[in-house]
Amino acid sequence: MKGLNMSIQLSFVPELTDRQEFESLMVGFFEGILILLDKVGGPAFRAEDLARKSTNRVAELTPQTGRILLARNQSQKLVGCGILRLIRPDAAELKHMYIHPSAQGLGLGRQLLDMRIEEARKIGCTSLYADTVKGNSQMLSMYERRGFEYIDRYPENANTADLAPYMVYLERQFGQS
């Protein structure tokens, strides 16, 4: 596997400058998630509706309440993202990690995950939570390698409780510094 292409720039942004570009990326994210959700018998949604809803709530994910990590290629095209959503003063939730097919296979997923884990530590989190659809072996494997453990649904989870039968929940505790 190739190392992370240095022409891809990753940065936490204070706001989205191109909501339409982000929404388009989120459509790709939700299309993949909905395929997995369908495989485990979950309810049907439209990727475009979920992407629009996520984009409309993005202000809730900027500093003081979260972090948006964007990956752009050499041409400044948005090719990846990951969200860190604060759920308590000492805890955050990882959301919406996605890499456009044009940037897959470069190690970008590891970078997006590791940068958000490190950011959670920097802002004082002692717990970090994540969820994914059952059967999402690629994400589950990444979480497992980074010390996440399986748990029951956590109360602050961003998804509605009716999705719980189709989801996997994880937590990573950070040691005290």
Side-chain angles (χ1 to χ4, degrees):
M1 183 182 254
K2 299 182 250 178
L4 182 62
N5 187 333
M6 298 315 280
S7 65
I8 296 193
Q9 178 188 12
L10 293 120
S11 59
F12 286 98
V13 297
E15 64 183 348
L16 284 181
T17 56
D18 190 337
R19 293 170 62 90
Q20 187 174 10
E21 184 182 30
F22 182 78
E23 187 171 319
S24 177
L25 194 70
M26 285 292 89
V27 168
F29 167 76
F30 284 113
E31 286 173 344
I33 292 298
L34 292 175
I35 289 169
L36 294 171
L37 189 58
D38 182 61
K39 285 181 181 178
V40 295
F45 298 99
R46 289 189 59 233
E48 295 80 7
D49 295 339
L50 295 173
R52 189 173 311 107
K53 182 179 175 184
S54 289
T55 302
N56 288 340
R57 298 182 70 197
V58 78
E60 300 170 19
L61 304 171
T62 55
Q64 300 309 336
T65 56
R67 302 289 188 272
I68 301 170
L69 178 59
L70 299 180
R72 294 190 177 278
N73 68 12
Q74 234 172 333
S75 305
Q76 293 303 300
K77 180 181 181 228
L78 187 59
V79 295
C81 66
I83 304 291
L84 181 67
R85 182 179 83 96
L86 293 176
I87 57 176
R88 296 189 308 261
D90 66 339
E93 177 182 43
L94 298 172
K95 300 301 292 176
H96 298 359
M97 188 171 93
Y98 177 69
I99 300 146
H100 187 273
S102 66
Q104 291 177 0
L106 303 172
L108 186 54
R110 287 188 302 276
Q111 282 289 108
L112 287 165
L113 181 55
D114 291 344
M115 285 180 73
R116 289 181 298 149
I117 291 170
E118 184 58 31
E119 186 68 10
R121 283 179 186 247
K122 283 181 187 175
I123 61 176
C125 292
T126 56
S127 299
L128 189 56
Y129 296 90
D131 67 30
T132 192
V133 175
K134 288 181 178 179
N136 190 351
S137 57
Q138 188 174 13
M139 276 309 309
L140 291 170
S141 176
M142 286 180 71
Y143 288 137
E144 289 169 358
R145 284 192 303 268
R146 280 155 183 81
F148 283 80
E149 296 182 6
Y150 293 92
I151 60 168
D152 292 332
R153 183 179 186 274
Y154 46 99
E156 305 91 347
N157 184 260
N159 295 309
T160 58
D162 61 320
L163 288 176
Y166 315 105
M167 304 294 291
V168 177
Y169 304 96
L170 303 106
E171 176 185 29
R172 178 173 172 183
Q173 295 284 322
F174 298 122
Q176 299 297 323
S177 300

